[in-house]
Amino acid sequence: MRVKREMTKSSFAELVGVPTSTITRIESGVVDPTYSMLQKLATGAGFLLTETLSDLGSDAPYAVAVERIRTASTADRSRLIKKLAQTATLAPVIKRPGVRIFALDRPVGELIHYLVARGANPAVSSLEAVAADISSTRSFTPVVYVERPEDLDELPPMSPTAKSSVIVLPITENVRRFTTWVNGTAMLAPEWGMLDALASPGRQADVAQSFLPQLAGRIALTEAGVAA
């Protein structure tokens, strides 16, 4: 798994959430990992645990990363957020099961209101979720989760002449787990939104990368305020 990801032992350990010494002991044969440990390593690294180590192709690595951030100490939380780009590479949004891409012919807020009226139960991700605001479209390619993307044939198809696009993904159990209501809109946790932005095609990933320190600092300030 580590070799396939082309990572050092320390980087791989950071990705999957175990001490570097654990990886060293497993690789050197000092310990035989249990199946549950192998499953943890595989899921954290974005693999389906099979003989061929196929890519998982799901949002499971996201759930692992966000849960680690949520349960980490205040000192570790900012550091883990700055490493989200590493996790984002494991689940590109355009390679997830059930993904659809449409032309974005309206502001993202209007699209969300339309999807709500249609009963699609949308949950907002990407940079809009990081900002916790849909009053303006911040993403080059917004990411939205809905109940059944296959039912949205009335949305305009993506074409070379479209000025912008929106990526629509099916809601999963992991998405539900990290969705909250913000000002009447269902949104993914900021950490998840950042992962989707980092995992998006084109310029969006670069822009999201520049926002990582800001997100880490914002969460650190929030934690300090709660402690006070």
mmCIF file of all heavy atoms in Angstrom, residues 117-167:
data_model
loop_
_atom_site.group_PDB
_atom_site.id
_atom_site.type_symbol
_atom_site.label_atom_id
_atom_site.label_comp_id
_atom_site.label_asym_id
_atom_site.label_seq_id
_atom_site.Cartn_x
_atom_site.Cartn_y
_atom_site.Cartn_z
ATOM 1 N N ALA A 117 -36.393 22.503 -3.829
ATOM 2 C CA ALA A 117 -37.785 22.481 -4.291
ATOM 3 C C ALA A 117 -38.102 21.194 -5.039
ATOM 4 O O ALA A 117 -39.239 20.707 -5.007
ATOM 5 C CB ALA A 117 -38.054 23.701 -5.178
ATOM 6 N N ARG A 118 -37.106 20.642 -5.683
ATOM 7 C CA ARG A 118 -37.299 19.420 -6.454
ATOM 8 C C ARG A 118 -37.270 18.165 -5.579
ATOM 9 O O ARG A 118 -37.538 17.066 -6.037
ATOM 10 C CB ARG A 118 -36.203 19.325 -7.517
ATOM 11 C CG ARG A 118 -36.528 18.384 -8.659
ATOM 12 C CD ARG A 118 -35.358 18.272 -9.608
ATOM 13 N NE ARG A 118 -35.652 17.400 -10.732
ATOM 14 C CZ ARG A 118 -35.752 16.081 -10.657
ATOM 15 N NH1 ARG A 118 -35.595 15.484 -9.497
ATOM 16 N NH2 ARG A 118 -36.023 15.359 -11.737
ATOM 17 N N GLY A 119 -36.920 18.327 -4.308
ATOM 18 C CA GLY A 119 -36.872 17.182 -3.399
ATOM 19 C C GLY A 119 -35.596 16.372 -3.477
ATOM 20 O O GLY A 119 -35.562 15.216 -3.054
ATOM 21 N N ALA A 120 -34.520 16.981 -4.015
ATOM 22 C CA ALA A 120 -33.256 16.258 -4.159
ATOM 23 C C ALA A 120 -32.423 16.256 -2.881
ATOM 24 O O ALA A 120 -31.400 15.587 -2.808
ATOM 25 C CB ALA A 120 -32.429 16.856 -5.298
ATOM 26 N N ASN A 121 -32.846 17.043 -1.875
ATOM 27 C CA ASN A 121 -32.148 17.116 -0.583
ATOM 28 C C ASN A 121 -30.655 17.406 -0.738
ATOM 29 O O ASN A 121 -29.803 16.632 -0.283
ATOM 30 C CB ASN A 121 -32.344 15.818 0.207
ATOM 31 C CG ASN A 121 -33.797 15.562 0.540
ATOM 32 O OD1 ASN A 121 -34.558 16.489 0.798
ATOM 33 N ND2 ASN A 121 -34.200 14.304 0.521
ATOM 34 N N PRO A 122 -30.301 18.524 -1.363
ATOM 35 C CA PRO A 122 -28.890 18.799 -1.633
ATOM 36 C C PRO A 122 -28.095 19.133 -0.373
ATOM 37 O O PRO A 122 -28.618 19.712 0.588
ATOM 38 C CB PRO A 122 -28.954 20.023 -2.552
ATOM 39 C CG PRO A 122 -30.213 20.722 -2.134
ATOM 40 C CD PRO A 122 -31.184 19.615 -1.826
ATOM 41 N N ALA A 123 -26.830 18.759 -0.396
ATOM 42 C CA ALA A 123 -25.880 19.137 0.652
ATOM 43 C C ALA A 123 -24.695 19.789 -0.042
ATOM 44 O O ALA A 123 -24.098 19.217 -0.955
ATOM 45 C CB ALA A 123 -25.434 17.928 1.459
ATOM 46 N N VAL A 124 -24.351 20.982 0.371
ATOM 47 C CA VAL A 124 -23.329 21.791 -0.294
ATOM 48 C C VAL A 124 -21.941 21.416 0.204
ATOM 49 O O VAL A 124 -21.720 21.226 1.402
ATOM 50 C CB VAL A 124 -23.588 23.288 -0.036
ATOM 51 C CG1 VAL A 124 -22.513 24.146 -0.699
ATOM 52 C CG2 VAL A 124 -24.966 23.677 -0.539
ATOM 53 N N SER A 125 -21.001 21.315 -0.720
ATOM 54 C CA SER A 125 -19.616 21.025 -0.348
ATOM 55 C C SER A 125 -18.705 22.050 -1.001
ATOM 56 O O SER A 125 -19.127 23.148 -1.351
ATOM 57 C CB SER A 125 -19.255 19.592 -0.762
ATOM 58 O OG SER A 125 -17.997 19.222 -0.248
ATOM 59 N N SER A 126 -17.430 21.707 -1.139
ATOM 60 C CA SER A 126 -16.411 22.531 -1.769
ATOM 61 C C SER A 126 -16.233 23.861 -1.023
ATOM 62 O O SER A 126 -16.492 23.946 0.178
ATOM 63 C CB SER A 126 -16.740 22.744 -3.244
ATOM 64 O OG SER A 126 -15.612 23.183 -3.955
ATOM 65 N N LEU A 127 -15.800 24.904 -1.711
ATOM 66 C CA LEU A 127 -15.443 26.154 -1.049
ATOM 67 C C LEU A 127 -16.640 26.853 -0.422
ATOM 68 O O LEU A 127 -16.489 27.636 0.520
ATOM 69 C CB LEU A 127 -14.747 27.093 -2.040
ATOM 70 C CG LEU A 127 -13.413 26.578 -2.596
ATOM 71 C CD1 LEU A 127 -12.824 27.583 -3.578
ATOM 72 C CD2 LEU A 127 -12.427 26.279 -1.483
ATOM 73 N N GLU A 128 -17.841 26.575 -0.936
ATOM 74 C CA GLU A 128 -19.040 27.146 -0.319
ATOM 75 C C GLU A 128 -19.232 26.590 1.098
ATOM 76 O O GLU A 128 -19.662 27.301 2.007
ATOM 77 C CB GLU A 128 -20.271 26.856 -1.180
ATOM 78 C CG GLU A 128 -20.352 27.679 -2.456
ATOM 79 C CD GLU A 128 -19.325 27.269 -3.495
ATOM 80 O OE1 GLU A 128 -18.939 26.068 -3.522
ATOM 81 O OE2 GLU A 128 -18.889 28.122 -4.276
ATOM 82 N N ALA A 129 -18.914 25.316 1.290
ATOM 83 C CA ALA A 129 -19.020 24.715 2.622
ATOM 84 C C ALA A 129 -17.918 25.230 3.540
ATOM 85 O O ALA A 129 -18.127 25.402 4.740
ATOM 86 C CB ALA A 129 -18.952 23.190 2.527
ATOM 87 N N VAL A 130 -16.739 25.475 2.984
ATOM 88 C CA VAL A 130 -15.645 26.031 3.787
ATOM 89 C C VAL A 130 -16.043 27.408 4.309
ATOM 90 O O VAL A 130 -15.790 27.749 5.468
ATOM 91 C CB VAL A 130 -14.348 26.135 2.952
ATOM 92 C CG1 VAL A 130 -13.243 26.817 3.757
ATOM 93 C CG2 VAL A 130 -13.897 24.741 2.513
ATOM 94 N N ALA A 131 -16.690 28.187 3.463
ATOM 95 C CA ALA A 131 -17.129 29.529 3.849
ATOM 96 C C ALA A 131 -18.451 29.511 4.599
ATOM 97 O O ALA A 131 -18.838 30.513 5.200
ATOM 98 C CB ALA A 131 -17.268 30.412 2.611
ATOM 99 N N ALA A 132 -19.169 28.363 4.561
ATOM 100 C CA ALA A 132 -20.492 28.237 5.187
ATOM 101 C C ALA A 132 -21.458 29.289 4.645
ATOM 102 O O ALA A 132 -22.213 29.909 5.385
ATOM 103 C CB ALA A 132 -20.388 28.334 6.712
ATOM 104 N N ASP A 133 -21.448 29.459 3.321
ATOM 105 C CA ASP A 133 -22.254 30.524 2.718
ATOM 106 C C ASP A 133 -22.500 30.201 1.242
ATOM 107 O O ASP A 133 -21.570 29.847 0.519
ATOM 108 C CB ASP A 133 -21.491 31.848 2.843
ATOM 109 C CG ASP A 133 -22.257 33.029 2.276
ATOM 110 O OD1 ASP A 133 -23.496 32.922 2.106
ATOM 111 O OD2 ASP A 133 -21.628 34.060 1.996
ATOM 112 N N ILE A 134 -23.756 30.307 0.797
ATOM 113 C CA ILE A 134 -24.074 30.094 -0.616
ATOM 114 C C ILE A 134 -24.589 31.368 -1.278
ATOM 115 O O ILE A 134 -25.152 31.325 -2.362
ATOM 116 C CB ILE A 134 -25.116 28.964 -0.811
ATOM 117 C CG1 ILE A 134 -26.414 29.296 -0.057
ATOM 118 C CG2 ILE A 134 -24.544 27.629 -0.388
ATOM 119 C CD1 ILE A 134 -27.554 28.356 -0.410
ATOM 120 N N SER A 135 -24.364 32.504 -0.622
ATOM 121 C CA SER A 135 -24.848 33.754 -1.205
ATOM 122 C C SER A 135 -24.047 34.150 -2.436
ATOM 123 O O SER A 135 -24.505 34.955 -3.248
ATOM 124 C CB SER A 135 -24.798 34.884 -0.168
ATOM 125 O OG SER A 135 -23.465 35.113 0.261
ATOM 126 N N SER A 136 -22.836 33.617 -2.576
ATOM 127 C CA SER A 136 -22.049 33.853 -3.784
ATOM 128 C C SER A 136 -21.330 32.561 -4.154
ATOM 129 O O SER A 136 -21.085 31.714 -3.296
ATOM 130 C CB SER A 136 -21.028 34.977 -3.575
ATOM 131 O OG SER A 136 -20.099 34.616 -2.562
ATOM 132 N N THR A 137 -21.011 32.409 -5.432
ATOM 133 C CA THR A 137 -20.349 31.202 -5.915
ATOM 134 C C THR A 137 -18.836 31.385 -5.805
ATOM 135 O O THR A 137 -18.247 32.160 -6.546
ATOM 136 C CB THR A 137 -20.741 30.904 -7.371
ATOM 137 O OG1 THR A 137 -22.166 30.808 -7.469
ATOM 138 C CG2 THR A 137 -20.117 29.593 -7.839
ATOM 139 N N ARG A 138 -18.233 30.681 -4.869
ATOM 140 C CA ARG A 138 -16.789 30.805 -4.641
ATOM 141 C C ARG A 138 -15.977 29.800 -5.450
ATOM 142 O O ARG A 138 -14.819 30.037 -5.760
ATOM 143 C CB ARG A 138 -16.488 30.621 -3.153
ATOM 144 C CG ARG A 138 -16.998 31.765 -2.291
ATOM 145 C CD ARG A 138 -16.916 31.431 -0.809
ATOM 146 N NE ARG A 138 -17.176 32.605 0.008
ATOM 147 C CZ ARG A 138 -18.383 33.079 0.265
ATOM 148 N NH1 ARG A 138 -19.444 32.475 -0.252
ATOM 149 N NH2 ARG A 138 -18.553 34.155 1.019
ATOM 150 N N SER A 139 -16.588 28.659 -5.756
ATOM 151 C CA SER A 139 -15.859 27.589 -6.431
ATOM 152 C C SER A 139 -15.844 27.777 -7.940
ATOM 153 O O SER A 139 -16.811 28.264 -8.524
ATOM 154 C CB SER A 139 -16.506 26.237 -6.124
ATOM 155 O OG SER A 139 -16.541 25.976 -4.735
ATOM 156 N N PHE A 140 -14.765 27.379 -8.576
ATOM 157 C CA PHE A 140 -14.748 27.295 -10.025
ATOM 158 C C PHE A 140 -15.716 26.194 -10.470
ATOM 159 O O PHE A 140 -16.395 26.314 -11.481
ATOM 160 C CB PHE A 140 -13.337 26.958 -10.525
ATOM 161 C CG PHE A 140 -12.370 28.087 -10.391
ATOM 162 C CD1 PHE A 140 -11.539 28.174 -9.285
ATOM 163 C CD2 PHE A 140 -12.288 29.073 -11.361
ATOM 164 C CE1 PHE A 140 -10.641 29.225 -9.150
ATOM 165 C CE2 PHE A 140 -11.391 30.128 -11.234
ATOM 166 C CZ PHE A 140 -10.567 30.197 -10.122
ATOM 167 N N THR A 141 -15.750 25.121 -9.690
ATOM 168 C CA THR A 141 -16.648 24.001 -9.957
ATOM 169 C C THR A 141 -17.281 23.577 -8.639
ATOM 170 O O THR A 141 -16.702 22.779 -7.893
ATOM 171 C CB THR A 141 -15.893 22.803 -10.571
ATOM 172 O OG1 THR A 141 -15.137 23.238 -11.699
ATOM 173 C CG2 THR A 141 -16.851 21.709 -11.003
ATOM 174 N N PRO A 142 -18.451 24.106 -8.293
ATOM 175 C CA PRO A 142 -19.096 23.712 -7.036
ATOM 176 C C PRO A 142 -19.363 22.208 -6.984
ATOM 177 O O PRO A 142 -19.557 21.560 -8.023
ATOM 178 C CB PRO A 142 -20.416 24.506 -7.066
ATOM 179 C CG PRO A 142 -20.143 25.656 -7.965
ATOM 180 C CD PRO A 142 -19.201 25.134 -9.018
ATOM 181 N N VAL A 143 -19.351 21.670 -5.785
ATOM 182 C CA VAL A 143 -19.646 20.255 -5.566
ATOM 183 C C VAL A 143 -20.881 20.160 -4.677
ATOM 184 O O VAL A 143 -20.930 20.752 -3.595
ATOM 185 C CB VAL A 143 -18.459 19.528 -4.891
ATOM 186 C CG1 VAL A 143 -18.809 18.064 -4.625
ATOM 187 C CG2 VAL A 143 -17.215 19.631 -5.763
ATOM 188 N N VAL A 144 -21.886 19.414 -5.160
ATOM 189 C CA VAL A 144 -23.146 19.276 -4.442
ATOM 190 C C VAL A 144 -23.526 17.794 -4.367
ATOM 191 O O VAL A 144 -23.401 17.073 -5.371
ATOM 192 C CB VAL A 144 -24.278 20.063 -5.137
ATOM 193 C CG1 VAL A 144 -25.587 19.907 -4.376
ATOM 194 C CG2 VAL A 144 -23.907 21.541 -5.269
ATOM 195 N N TYR A 145 -23.964 17.364 -3.203
ATOM 196 C CA TYR A 145 -24.445 15.992 -3.023
ATOM 197 C C TYR A 145 -25.970 15.992 -3.028
ATOM 198 O O TYR A 145 -26.599 16.870 -2.411
ATOM 199 C CB TYR A 145 -23.947 15.415 -1.699
ATOM 200 C CG TYR A 145 -22.452 15.192 -1.649
ATOM 201 C CD1 TYR A 145 -21.582 16.235 -1.334
ATOM 202 C CD2 TYR A 145 -21.911 13.940 -1.912
ATOM 203 C CE1 TYR A 145 -20.210 16.038 -1.289
ATOM 204 C CE2 TYR A 145 -20.533 13.730 -1.861
ATOM 205 C CZ TYR A 145 -19.692 14.783 -1.552
ATOM 206 O OH TYR A 145 -18.333 14.570 -1.510
ATOM 207 N N VAL A 146 -26.572 15.019 -3.715
ATOM 208 C CA VAL A 146 -28.028 14.887 -3.758
ATOM 209 C C VAL A 146 -28.407 13.417 -3.592
ATOM 210 O O VAL A 146 -27.555 12.525 -3.679
ATOM 211 C CB VAL A 146 -28.623 15.425 -5.083
ATOM 212 C CG1 VAL A 146 -28.295 16.899 -5.274
ATOM 213 C CG2 VAL A 146 -28.134 14.608 -6.261
ATOM 214 N N GLU A 147 -29.693 13.174 -3.379
ATOM 215 C CA GLU A 147 -30.163 11.806 -3.165
ATOM 216 C C GLU A 147 -29.996 10.927 -4.405
ATOM 217 O O GLU A 147 -29.512 9.814 -4.323
ATOM 218 C CB GLU A 147 -31.640 11.822 -2.741
ATOM 219 C CG GLU A 147 -31.896 12.438 -1.380
ATOM 220 C CD GLU A 147 -31.407 11.579 -0.241
ATOM 221 O OE1 GLU A 147 -30.987 10.431 -0.471
ATOM 222 O OE2 GLU A 147 -31.442 12.057 0.916
ATOM 223 N N ARG A 148 -30.377 11.440 -5.579
ATOM 224 C CA ARG A 148 -30.332 10.623 -6.799
ATOM 225 C C ARG A 148 -29.862 11.475 -7.986
ATOM 226 O O ARG A 148 -30.686 12.052 -8.708
ATOM 227 C CB ARG A 148 -31.715 10.028 -7.094
ATOM 228 C CG ARG A 148 -32.165 8.975 -6.087
ATOM 229 C CD ARG A 148 -33.590 8.486 -6.409
ATOM 230 N NE ARG A 148 -33.693 7.978 -7.763
ATOM 231 C CZ ARG A 148 -33.376 6.726 -8.109
ATOM 232 N NH1 ARG A 148 -32.929 5.878 -7.201
ATOM 233 N NH2 ARG A 148 -33.507 6.322 -9.368
ATOM 234 N N PRO A 149 -28.565 11.560 -8.196
ATOM 235 C CA PRO A 149 -28.068 12.347 -9.335
ATOM 236 C C PRO A 149 -28.639 11.890 -10.666
ATOM 237 O O PRO A 149 -28.804 12.696 -11.588
ATOM 238 C CB PRO A 149 -26.549 12.112 -9.280
ATOM 239 C CG PRO A 149 -26.263 11.747 -7.862
ATOM 240 C CD PRO A 149 -27.471 10.978 -7.396
ATOM 241 N N GLU A 150 -28.958 10.615 -10.775
ATOM 242 C CA GLU A 150 -29.458 10.087 -12.053
ATOM 243 C C GLU A 150 -30.833 10.647 -12.423
ATOM 244 O O GLU A 150 -31.273 10.496 -13.580
ATOM 245 C CB GLU A 150 -29.514 8.552 -12.010
ATOM 246 C CG GLU A 150 -30.460 7.967 -10.982
ATOM 247 C CD GLU A 150 -29.808 7.719 -9.638
ATOM 248 O OE1 GLU A 150 -28.811 8.407 -9.320
ATOM 249 O OE2 GLU A 150 -30.288 6.841 -8.892
ATOM 250 N N ASP A 151 -31.507 11.295 -11.472
ATOM 251 C CA ASP A 151 -32.833 11.846 -11.750
ATOM 252 C C ASP A 151 -32.793 13.301 -12.212
ATOM 253 O O ASP A 151 -33.853 13.914 -12.409
ATOM 254 C CB ASP A 151 -33.719 11.749 -10.499
ATOM 255 C CG ASP A 151 -34.091 10.317 -10.166
ATOM 256 O OD1 ASP A 151 -33.931 9.443 -11.036
ATOM 257 O OD2 ASP A 151 -34.546 10.073 -9.022
ATOM 258 N N LEU A 152 -31.616 13.867 -12.370
ATOM 259 C CA LEU A 152 -31.510 15.299 -12.654
ATOM 260 C C LEU A 152 -31.276 15.605 -14.131
ATOM 261 O O LEU A 152 -30.525 16.515 -14.489
ATOM 262 C CB LEU A 152 -30.371 15.907 -11.822
ATOM 263 C CG LEU A 152 -30.526 15.799 -10.311
ATOM 264 C CD1 LEU A 152 -29.328 16.431 -9.606
ATOM 265 C CD2 LEU A 152 -31.822 16.455 -9.835
ATOM 266 N N ASP A 153 -31.927 14.880 -14.993
ATOM 267 C CA ASP A 153 -31.713 15.058 -16.432
ATOM 268 C C ASP A 153 -32.180 16.411 -16.957
ATOM 269 O O ASP A 153 -31.820 16.803 -18.076
ATOM 270 C CB ASP A 153 -32.419 13.943 -17.216
ATOM 271 C CG ASP A 153 -31.732 12.600 -17.036
ATOM 272 O OD1 ASP A 153 -30.520 12.593 -16.755
ATOM 273 O OD2 ASP A 153 -32.407 11.570 -17.162
ATOM 274 N N GLU A 154 -32.992 17.130 -16.179
ATOM 275 C CA GLU A 154 -33.467 18.425 -16.661
ATOM 276 C C GLU A 154 -32.406 19.523 -16.507
ATOM 277 O O GLU A 154 -32.541 20.617 -17.070
ATOM 278 C CB GLU A 154 -34.751 18.831 -15.922
ATOM 279 C CG GLU A 154 -34.556 19.335 -14.495
ATOM 280 C CD GLU A 154 -34.305 18.218 -13.490
ATOM 281 O OE1 GLU A 154 -34.258 17.039 -13.895
ATOM 282 O OE2 GLU A 154 -34.145 18.525 -12.300
ATOM 283 N N LEU A 155 -31.345 19.263 -15.749
ATOM 284 C CA LEU A 155 -30.275 20.247 -15.639
ATOM 285 C C LEU A 155 -29.493 20.286 -16.952
ATOM 286 O O LEU A 155 -29.344 19.272 -17.635
ATOM 287 C CB LEU A 155 -29.337 19.891 -14.483
ATOM 288 C CG LEU A 155 -29.914 20.037 -13.076
ATOM 289 C CD1 LEU A 155 -28.865 19.643 -12.034
ATOM 290 C CD2 LEU A 155 -30.397 21.461 -12.821
ATOM 291 N N PRO A 156 -28.965 21.447 -17.327
ATOM 292 C CA PRO A 156 -28.272 21.557 -18.617
ATOM 293 C C PRO A 156 -26.996 20.717 -18.642
ATOM 294 O O PRO A 156 -26.215 20.750 -17.680
ATOM 295 C CB PRO A 156 -27.953 23.054 -18.716
ATOM 296 C CG PRO A 156 -27.973 23.550 -17.308
ATOM 297 C CD PRO A 156 -29.018 22.735 -16.603
ATOM 298 N N PRO A 157 -26.779 19.964 -19.697
ATOM 299 C CA PRO A 157 -25.573 19.137 -19.778
ATOM 300 C C PRO A 157 -24.324 19.992 -19.934
ATOM 301 O O PRO A 157 -24.370 21.111 -20.445
ATOM 302 C CB PRO A 157 -25.820 18.283 -21.022
ATOM 303 C CG PRO A 157 -26.743 19.107 -21.858
ATOM 304 C CD PRO A 157 -27.638 19.839 -20.898
ATOM 305 N N MET A 158 -23.223 19.458 -19.472
ATOM 306 C CA MET A 158 -21.955 20.160 -19.642
ATOM 307 C C MET A 158 -21.582 20.164 -21.113
ATOM 308 O O MET A 158 -21.789 19.181 -21.831
ATOM 309 C CB MET A 158 -20.870 19.464 -18.825
ATOM 310 C CG MET A 158 -19.551 20.211 -18.799
ATOM 311 S SD MET A 158 -19.770 21.902 -18.193
ATOM 312 C CE MET A 158 -18.165 22.595 -18.565
ATOM 313 N N SER A 159 -21.043 21.282 -21.581
ATOM 314 C CA SER A 159 -20.650 21.403 -22.983
ATOM 315 C C SER A 159 -19.431 22.309 -23.076
ATOM 316 O O SER A 159 -19.129 23.052 -22.135
ATOM 317 C CB SER A 159 -21.802 21.993 -23.810
ATOM 318 O OG SER A 159 -21.996 23.355 -23.463
ATOM 319 N N PRO A 160 -18.720 22.281 -24.213
ATOM 320 C CA PRO A 160 -17.529 23.130 -24.360
ATOM 321 C C PRO A 160 -17.828 24.620 -24.266
ATOM 322 O O PRO A 160 -16.940 25.424 -23.974
ATOM 323 C CB PRO A 160 -17.014 22.764 -25.761
ATOM 324 C CG PRO A 160 -17.536 21.391 -26.003
ATOM 325 C CD PRO A 160 -18.878 21.352 -25.343
ATOM 326 N N THR A 161 -19.081 24.998 -24.514
ATOM 327 C CA THR A 161 -19.420 26.423 -24.483
ATOM 328 C C THR A 161 -19.899 26.893 -23.112
ATOM 329 O O THR A 161 -20.085 28.088 -22.903
ATOM 330 C CB THR A 161 -20.532 26.717 -25.513
ATOM 331 O OG1 THR A 161 -21.685 25.922 -25.204
ATOM 332 C CG2 THR A 161 -20.049 26.386 -26.916
ATOM 333 N N ALA A 162 -20.095 25.954 -22.173
ATOM 334 C CA ALA A 162 -20.569 26.331 -20.842
ATOM 335 C C ALA A 162 -19.491 27.127 -20.105
ATOM 336 O O ALA A 162 -18.307 26.778 -20.156
ATOM 337 C CB ALA A 162 -20.946 25.093 -20.048
ATOM 338 N N LYS A 163 -19.896 28.190 -19.439
ATOM 339 C CA LYS A 163 -18.939 29.039 -18.732
ATOM 340 C C LYS A 163 -18.457 28.405 -17.433
ATOM 341 O O LYS A 163 -17.354 28.685 -16.970
ATOM 342 C CB LYS A 163 -19.572 30.409 -18.445
ATOM 343 C CG LYS A 163 -19.858 31.227 -19.692
ATOM 344 C CD LYS A 163 -20.439 32.572 -19.327
ATOM 345 C CE LYS A 163 -20.691 33.414 -20.583
ATOM 346 N NZ LYS A 163 -21.256 34.747 -20.244
ATOM 347 N N SER A 164 -19.306 27.588 -16.830
ATOM 348 C CA SER A 164 -18.936 26.955 -15.574
ATOM 349 C C SER A 164 -19.668 25.629 -15.448
ATOM 350 O O SER A 164 -20.563 25.318 -16.254
ATOM 351 C CB SER A 164 -19.295 27.869 -14.390
ATOM 352 O OG SER A 164 -18.816 27.319 -13.181
ATOM 353 N N SER A 165 -19.290 24.843 -14.469
ATOM 354 C CA SER A 165 -19.915 23.537 -14.281
ATOM 355 C C SER A 165 -20.129 23.267 -12.796
ATOM 356 O O SER A 165 -19.560 23.946 -11.929
ATOM 357 C CB SER A 165 -19.032 22.434 -14.882
ATOM 358 O OG SER A 165 -17.760 22.419 -14.257
ATOM 359 N N VAL A 166 -20.961 22.286 -12.523
ATOM 360 C CA VAL A 166 -21.210 21.846 -11.153
ATOM 361 C C VAL A 166 -21.082 20.326 -11.138
ATOM 362 O O VAL A 166 -21.573 19.637 -12.031
ATOM 363 C CB VAL A 166 -22.602 22.295 -10.646
ATOM 364 C CG1 VAL A 166 -23.715 21.794 -11.559
ATOM 365 C CG2 VAL A 166 -22.826 21.826 -9.215
ATOM 366 N N ILE A 167 -20.404 19.814 -10.127
ATOM 367 C CA ILE A 167 -20.243 18.375 -9.963
ATOM 368 C C ILE A 167 -21.271 17.885 -8.961
ATOM 369 O O ILE A 167 -21.351 18.402 -7.842
ATOM 370 C CB ILE A 167 -18.818 18.036 -9.485
ATOM 371 C CG1 ILE A 167 -17.804 18.456 -10.539
ATOM 372 C CG2 ILE A 167 -18.689 16.539 -9.180
ATOM 373 C CD1 ILE A 167 -16.367 18.316 -10.102
#
